[in-house]
Amino acid sequence: MAKPPITGKTAVYGIVGDPVAHSLSPLMHAAFAEAVGEDLVYVPFPVREAHFAAALAGLPALGVRGVNVTVPHKERAHALVQELTPEAAGIGAVNTLHFVEGRVLGHNTDAAGFSLSLDDTGLDWRGRTALVIGAGGAARAILWALGTSGATAIHLANRTLARAEALAAAFPQFPIHPLPLDRDRLTPLLHEVGLVVNTSSRGLHGEGHPELELARLPKTGIICDIVYNPISTPLLAAANSMGLRTVDGLGMLLHQGAASFRLWTGQHPPVAAVKEKLEQWLASTQTAKH
Ligand code: ATR
């Protein structure tokens, strides 16, 4: 990918998180900018939790136009930013900050990114009974997307039950049922589950989900893993081998990123073309690791 030269007029965007070294967002936004001919750079800002408030004040002071916010700062950004979109306020987390004429606007594009990644598959995913695994920060936007798209019931399974209960209580408007991540508790529910979403960090390092007896799901079941590196997690590989429909996490990454890019620049980047570039890049780095 040819890197555009930086001039005095180049707009600066970035991602604030800890860690950010593994993030695909700089590559993705560079590809978006190149595709639509936008004069910008998108840089990683590694920011410790204790320094987040200082960074939030300093970024617009430096003329940075906008940033994505990632782990562990999304909830803190929600608490600190005054102007929130209804989605960011409802989800309780901010993943996109836009600095405009002295104002700090907090958006959340994760929920829409997730929904669009499922829409891309052409599968009929709305209005089903869902099982969400994991009750950390990443689960918030998924619950919002499922709740607002009419899920009939959402089973929320987490290793630490208290976290699932707290998250369910944060969304009283949605039919969320917390439970422990326990095979005996999950198995009797699976025959009615049309959509499974893993939001936990299981799968990042090659771990599977032994609690989930995939054979019990309906044949029309959809399995989604928001982990995108590796693209095919053990959960997705197991589901694929059983003929279930699977959705990897790259689509959500791309759609949330494209939505941030549109908010900042007004330009619509080509999601499918950039997805291909990221797939090639992930494949080459995964080959390099072995
Ligand atoms: P994020 O903001 O990315 O969601 P997080 O808030 O640290 O990160 O949450 C990670 C989620 O993955 C949690 O639901 C966590 O379960 P606990 O609440 O019990 O900690 C889940 N998780 C992480 N490692 C896991 C593992 N090995 N098995 C099952 N769940 C795991």
Side-chain angles (χ1 to χ4, degrees), residues 71 134-138 158-160 163 181 199-202:
V71 178
N158 196 46
R159 182 176 60 181
T160 310
R163 273 185 104 184
L181 186 57
T199 74
S200 80
S201 25
R202 267 275 192 90

Side-chain angles (χ1 to χ4, degrees), residues 63-80:
V64 172
R65 308 277 185 89
V67 289
N68 284 124
V69 179
T70 189
V71 178
H73 305 306
K74 290 183 185 187
E75 284 98 340
R76 189 79 197 290
H78 169 268
L80 291 176

Side-chain angles (χ1 to χ4, degrees), residues 11-13 29 32-33 36-42 65-66 96 98 100 257-269:
V12 180
Y13 296 88
H29 283 276
F32 287 161
V36 298
E38 191 73 23
D39 182 15
L40 63 81
V41 290
Y42 182 105
R65 308 277 185 89
T96 306
H98 194 186
V100 198
S260 300
F261 192 91
R262 278 198 301 276
L263 286 167
W264 293 327
T265 66
Q267 302 243 44
H268 291 248

Side-chain angles (χ1 to χ4, degrees), residues 4-289:
I6 296 172
T7 72
K9 292 180 185 154
T10 302
V12 180
Y13 296 88
I15 181 162
V16 176
D18 183 24
V20 284
H22 67 287
S23 173
L24 282 186
S25 290
L27 262 173
M28 175 172 69
H29 283 276
F32 287 161
E34 190 189 3
V36 298
E38 191 73 23
D39 182 15
L40 63 81
V41 290
Y42 182 105
V43 293
F45 293 111
V47 173
R48 288 281 155 84
E49 225 162 342
H51 297 153
F52 182 71
L56 183 60
L59 289 164
L62 287 166
V64 172
R65 308 277 185 89
V67 289
N68 284 124
V69 179
T70 189
V71 178
H73 305 306
K74 290 183 185 187
E75 284 98 340
R76 189 79 197 290
H78 169 268
L80 291 176
V81 171
Q82 302 293 322
E83 289 191 68
L84 297 171
T85 60
E87 284 216 319
I91 294 168
V94 163
N95 83 322
T96 306
L97 291 170
H98 194 186
F99 307 121
V100 198
E101 292 160 9
R103 294 161 64 200
V104 179
L105 310 178
H107 301 262
N108 191 306
T109 65
D110 285 330
F114 173 73
S115 299
L116 286 169
S117 75
L118 284 168
D119 287 344
D120 271 355
T121 64
L123 298 171
D124 175 22
W125 63 274
R126 288 185 163 79
R128 294 186 173 205
T129 292
L131 167 63
V132 174
I133 299 170
R140 284 184 165 270
I142 304 298
L143 291 172
W144 180 266
L146 294 174
T148 55
S149 65
T152 41
I154 305 171
H155 299 289
L156 177 60
N158 196 46
R159 182 176 60 181
T160 310
L161 175 61
R163 273 185 104 184
E165 288 171 340
L167 204 50
F171 296 103
Q173 71 273 43
F174 302 141
I176 303 176
H177 310 289
L179 75 158
L181 186 57
D182 178 306
R183 192 181 179 99
D184 292 342
R185 293 291 303 279
L186 286 173
T187 301
L189 301 173
L190 295 180
H191 68 279
E192 59 170 32
V193 168
L195 175 64
V196 177
V197 188
N198 176 48
T199 74
S200 80
S201 25
R202 267 275 192 90
L204 271 177
H205 306 290
E207 318 93 314
H209 288 262
E211 304 85 356
L212 201 55
E213 234 183 291
L214 292 171
R216 303 244 176 186
L217 290 167
K219 295 270 173 287
T220 53
I222 304 168
I223 315 291
C224 182
D225 200 330
I226 69 165
V227 168
Y228 59 79
N229 192 1
I231 283 193
S232 182
T233 60
L235 173 64
L236 293 183
N240 259 324
S241 73
M242 300 185 60
L244 294 164
R245 309 297 195 91
T246 59
V247 183
D248 65 49
L250 202 54
M252 178 177 173
L253 174 80
L254 276 142
H255 281 292
Q256 64 75 33
S260 300
F261 192 91
R262 278 198 301 276
L263 286 167
W264 293 327
T265 66
Q267 302 243 44
H268 291 248
V271 170
V274 172
K275 185 169 195 226
E276 256 176 53
K277 278 194 182 183
L278 292 189
E279 277 165 353
Q280 284 164 10
W281 189 84
L282 279 172
S284 68
T285 54
Q286 271 155 33
T287 316
K289 273 191 224 158

